[in-house]
Amino acid sequence: MLPGNGRAPDMAPPPDAEVLSLPHPPVGQHVTLVASRWWTVPWPVWLTAGLMLAGLLSLSGAYGFHGDELYFVVAGRHPAFGYVDQPPLTPLLSAAWVALVGVSPTAMRILPALEMAFVVVIVGFIARDLGGSRRAQVLAALTAGVSGYLAAGHLNTTTELDLVVWAAVLWLLVRVLASGDRRLWVAVGVGAGIGLENKDTLLFLAAGLAFGVLLCRRWEVVRSRWAWAAAAIAAIGWAPNLAWQAVHGWPQLTMASQIAGYAATNRAQVLPFLLLFTGPLLFPVSIAGLVWVLGSRAAAPWRPLGVAALVALALDLVSGGKTYYVIGSASLFMAAGGIVLDGWIARGHRLFKTAGFAAAAITSGGLIALLTLPVLPVADYARTTLPATVPDVANQIGWPQFVATVAQVVSALPPEQRDHAVILTNDYSEASALVLLGEGLPPVYSGHNSYWSWGPPPAARTTVVHVGDWRPTNWAQYFAGCRDVAHIDNQLGIDNGEQGRPVTICTSTRAPWTTIWPALRTIS
């Protein structure tokens, strides 16, 4: 256990910081917080974030888009307060960003790279406000910089903004639970409201926090009108999406039930994912941070947050949610782990221990980069087992060939068929790639998730170019004269989500689109 408030004995607060000693009635001690210049952390923290940002941007265009990234852009071009599979914030931001900077992998991935670099800095803030020394703040930031946050920064999906919100809300809670500064509750509520318009997973943290506050007897929080005001602000922020869901029959509940159908697989992946995300070699740092938050006397003010993280994980396991839904709490434990690591280094053999940490960090970060980032030339990558190991990377390859194949099929149609053709895809990734990357193609439709909500093709479009498998039911029964005319080939032999899928021409429909369309709806 570290002495006093957890700061290593040879470290002092930054010289340009105003240090306040604030009372904390429940634990009968004073908690030190840096109160002026809240952005003050050691320069290596900012350097770590900058290096992460530079590395992510340098690799951002190496392979290609992920289908989810394309889908969110297309969804955002259909503005709404919600979608079948997520709240509206990421789709709307993605569409606006692409409208500003253009459609390219590098341009699209500026946002997630910035978001994950910001998380690294927030981890430094949290370590500082937990009482960590300068060295603890740097160690925490380095741990975050070579963790799963590095992998997350490569894709522009709902996950990245979710991770930022979890980190920011946890940081604000660290400050408010130590100082009792009522104004911070307003910021907590605003942050939570924004987060809920991006992903509902923040509800796990909210439920866990309520349980943690009660278990740790933080009655001043329960009695605080400001804490209740934060809950009200968050609810108001979430209200537009809730209203949309209610009007449209709560499709996200259907989506959640589909995900829960893979509950056994999701639960089996929890431990491997947690270890990989927090670092193949550095996960002991985050585990030590969890133990410190739950058991250290110096961490008593923040005990409810440790309990909250465990409760959130338990709720995710019970509900059968995906393994990454509650990984945002890792920011707290990486920060706390930096404090524990700092104390361990301070007890002697500093050079040896620091060198060991550096070697583990470099190796851990290298493994994560190899598994999740396009660090290998694509031809070399195709010859490895990595495409089967991490499908998300493999699914970024082959979209130009995919679009070109469909375009060739369309161009080979007789003019009278081409003028009345429509493209129908099995899933939203395929549809979105054709919409954003194709030129001169017939209108593109799909029955998958929100695409179905945007309506059926016009009645006159009776020639169907179908892309992908006929699933989940045999859609071919609704069309006549169907024949496979091509198959998707990424020309690298990489077995991803599109490789080998057929492109089929159907010469007519067996019923009007308005009759067929309800049967084509797929939520998955």
Side-chain angles (χ1 to χ4, degrees):
M1 184 182 300
L2 298 179
N5 63 3
R7 178 177 285 110
D10 61 334
M11 295 293 173
D16 59 349
E18 175 189 351
V19 178
L20 298 183
S21 187
L22 298 166
H24 187 274
V27 296
Q29 64 179 14
H30 286 71
V31 178
T32 300
L33 285 180
V34 179
S36 65
R37 303 191 184 181
W38 55 266
W39 62 88
T40 304
V41 285
W43 65 265
V45 173
W46 293 101
L47 177 62
T48 300
L51 290 174
M52 174 196 265
L53 175 63
L56 286 170
L57 292 179
S58 70
L59 295 171
S60 58
Y63 290 175
F65 294 102
H66 189 280
D68 286 356
E69 295 177 298
L70 298 169
Y71 171 54
F72 292 140
V73 173
V74 176
R77 291 180 175 180
H78 296 79
F81 285 117
Y83 299 91
V84 167
D85 36 13
Q86 73 269 314
L89 191 53
T90 288
L92 295 177
L93 285 176
S94 296
W97 182 252
V98 163
L100 181 66
V101 301
V103 180
S104 76
T106 294
M108 189 177 291
R109 289 167 181 165
I110 292 173
L111 281 179
L114 286 169
E115 288 165 350
M116 293 306 97
F118 186 39
V119 168
V120 169
V121 176
I122 293 175
V123 169
F125 292 160
I126 296 174
R128 178 199 63 199
D129 292 337
L130 291 174
S133 67
R134 291 185 179 90
R135 184 169 60 203
Q137 296 165 44
V138 173
L139 292 170
L142 287 170
T143 300
V146 296
S147 72
Y149 290 117
L150 177 65
H154 181 64
L155 296 180
N156 186 30
T157 68
T158 57
T159 300
E160 289 67 44
L161 186 55
D162 191 50
L163 291 173
V164 173
V165 170
W166 275 68
V169 168
L170 284 168
W171 172 43
L172 291 168
L173 289 170
V174 162
R175 294 182 68 88
V176 76
L177 288 175
S179 70
D181 186 344
R182 297 176 298 180
R183 296 169 298 177
L184 291 175
W185 280 115
V186 175
V188 169
V190 171
I194 292 172
L196 288 168
E197 284 295 325
N198 174 68
K199 215 168 173 63
D200 297 339
T201 52
L202 204 65
L203 293 173
F204 289 128
L205 179 61
L209 179 63
F211 188 87
V213 165
L214 294 175
L215 184 66
C216 298
R217 303 187 209 181
R218 294 297 297 270
W219 308 124
E220 83 284 3
V221 174
V222 177
R223 292 191 296 265
S224 172
R225 289 178 296 176
W226 290 88
W228 289 103
I233 292 170
I236 292 170
W238 192 27
N241 180 242
L242 276 179
W244 186 93
Q245 289 289 325
V247 169
H248 291 82
W250 304 99
Q252 276 191 253
L253 292 180
T254 303
M255 185 73 182
S257 69
Q258 293 291 325
I259 293 171
Y262 300 91
T265 301
N266 293 339
R267 290 165 186 151
Q269 293 174 347
V270 167
L271 182 59
F273 180 79
L274 290 175
L275 297 182
L276 180 63
F277 188 94
T278 53
L281 298 182
L282 291 185
F283 67 85
V285 175
S286 295
I287 292 175
L290 170 62
V291 172
W292 185 82
V293 171
L294 291 174
S296 170
R297 182 170 175 269
W302 306 291
R303 196 91 71 233
L305 298 181
V307 174
L310 293 181
V311 171
L313 178 60
L315 291 173
D316 188 34
L317 288 169
V318 169
S319 64
K322 293 184 179 179
T323 54
Y324 59 84
Y325 281 176
V326 296
I327 197 61
S329 58
S331 58
L332 172 66
F333 303 126
M334 290 177 184
I339 295 175
V340 177
L341 186 60
D342 178 37
W344 176 66
I345 291 173
R347 287 195 288 272
H349 305 288
R350 298 185 184 186
L351 183 60
F352 174 77
K353 292 176 179 177
T354 301
F357 170 77
I362 291 170
T363 305
S364 195
L367 287 171
I368 285 179
L370 180 64
L371 288 171
T372 63
L373 299 179
V375 296
L376 296 176
V378 68
D380 294 338
Y381 172 80
R383 290 191 290 269
T384 70
T385 60
L386 290 172
T389 305
V390 186
D392 274 348
V393 180
N395 286 333
Q396 297 168 40
I397 294 170
W399 289 117
Q401 294 87 348
F402 169 85
V403 173
T405 299
V406 176
Q408 289 169 4
V409 169
V410 169
S411 65
L413 289 171
E416 64 275 10
Q417 289 187 349
R418 190 164 58 244
D419 291 343
H420 296 87
V422 64
I423 298 175
L424 178 67
T425 73
N426 170 252
D427 68 44
Y428 60 62
S429 296
E430 297 159 346
S432 301
L434 293 169
V435 168
L436 293 178
L437 307 180
E439 294 183 5
L441 296 175
V444 180
Y445 292 82
S446 179
H448 193 202
N449 288 8
S450 286
Y451 259 94
W452 182 88
S453 306
W454 303 328
R461 297 275 179 174
T462 55
T463 298
V464 178
V465 178
H466 183 270
V467 182
D469 294 331
W470 298 99
R471 61 181 177 118
T473 56
N474 184 13
W475 289 0
Q477 63 184 300
Y478 302 110
F479 308 103
C482 297
R483 68 187 191 281
D484 293 349
V485 295
H487 287 81
I488 304 301
D489 184 3
N490 55 47
Q491 301 174 10
L492 290 164
I494 294 175
D495 187 15
N496 59 18
E498 315 310 320
Q499 181 72 353
R501 299 296 184 265
V503 181
T504 306
I505 293 177
C506 300
T507 55
S508 63
T509 60
R510 295 185 184 276
W513 279 110
T514 52
T515 301
I516 296 172
W517 199 243
L520 302 189
R521 187 175 196 184
T522 305
I523 297 179
S524 65

